[in-house]
Amino acid sequence: MAPSKSQLLTSATAALLASQGALGQQLTKPILNPEYDLGAMSQAFLPHLIAPAATSINKWPWGKLPAFCKSESIHEGFSAYDMEVYEVTFADCSQPWYMCRHNGSTMSVGGMINAFGSLPVGTRDFIRHIVVFPDFMTPGVAAHAKSGSGDLMFGHNYLDTSLWIHESGHIFDRQHGGNGDYSATSAWLNAYNSDSHLPTGYANTNQAENFAEHVILATYDNVVPGGLAGIPAPTPNRQAVQNQYTNVKNLLGNKIRKVTGATCNRQPTPLIGITSPVVCMGPDALAQDACVGTPNMKRDENGHDALIAAAEKEPGIYEPASRWTESA
């Protein structure tokens, strides 16, 4: 008998979690009981993480797109011709962000822009591209972070604030780690070893996921009135994880706060800057004179797309969809 769709998704999620474990050693501390309810925290964030006005939303003409968006669309089994590109500027930043959306995605343009804009500007500073697909090649995936290049990708209609903050946490992890991830440094491991518990079951996956979970906690403690102490019963024991989330709060400071009057200070990654090169969607667009002056990416000898920096070729971190609520 052929496996059911639910069985396939369960198997895919199990494989995904196994691959996450390969990023680092699975942790051994006990999990808080009750653990932090990230769905409830997403709802509590909403009144306090409000996107600034988008001062401009310019949709690019069909034919060209950022090289990273093309490479990822091909990697995920989609046609680059179906990608839309939006150049978005917010009131708190004069520099635009370039967001790519597959035209079959269930996430609307407005939902994509609002979810990203609601992040504190200090968090948005470290993010380069947002890319939205209908789904990922691997079933049961909600989101994908490329921490080296500063890019975030989302499938379906995953608009949970906690998910977007968690994915941003992976970029913070790489950008604050020197030659590696901050979650592998003695500063983080000392905080981890000083606590008795982990905040969620998923934090047990490895230190990278544990750090990203604590970015949610630290942001919540900064942004929501009453902070972690104000979470209603059953209230997780924040003292059992306080060295970890306090470490994140001290590390990131105003980058994870909503500061009145704050403006952007974009942080280009060492290899790629704040956007990837603009390229042609493909030969059909080139033939229609829709991308004059832009290169048509070709595969190099290693099977990677040309014009893609080393940081973009890293495998990245996939998050299982089973953890997140699909918001309307």
Side-chain angles (χ1 to χ4, degrees), residues 146-158:
K146 289 270 192 174
S147 55
S149 61
D151 299 299
L152 299 182
M153 287 145 282
F154 298 88
H156 287 299
N157 199 30
Y158 291 101

Side-chain angles (χ1 to χ4, degrees), residues 23-48:
L23 293 171
Q25 191 72 26
Q26 187 173 20
L27 310 185
T28 57
K29 289 185 185 296
I31 299 158
L32 289 179
N33 185 17
E35 66 180 72
Y36 280 96
D37 184 341
L38 301 187
M41 293 173 75
S42 287
Q43 293 302 309
F45 272 124
L46 294 179
H48 310 291

Side-chain angles (χ1 to χ4, degrees), residues 112-166:
M112 173 182 70
I113 293 172
N114 184 71
F116 178 66
S118 67
L119 299 175
V121 67
T123 299
R124 281 181 276 132
D125 276 337
F126 287 80
I127 299 171
R128 188 181 65 157
H129 295 308
I130 297 293
V131 187
V132 174
F133 296 116
D135 206 343
F136 289 98
M137 183 72 75
T138 303
V141 174
H144 180 198
K146 289 270 192 174
S147 55
S149 61
D151 299 299
L152 299 182
M153 287 145 282
F154 298 88
H156 287 299
N157 199 30
Y158 291 101
L159 294 169
D160 287 58
T161 305
S162 292
L163 171 61
W164 285 64
I165 293 173
H166 177 103

Side-chain angles (χ1 to χ4, degrees), residues 277-300:
V278 177
V279 299
C280 185
M281 286 181 173
D284 290 349
L286 187 64
Q288 297 180 42
D289 294 328
C291 49
V292 175
T294 60
N296 188 17
M297 291 167 61
K298 297 179 180 179
R299 295 282 170 170
D300 64 20

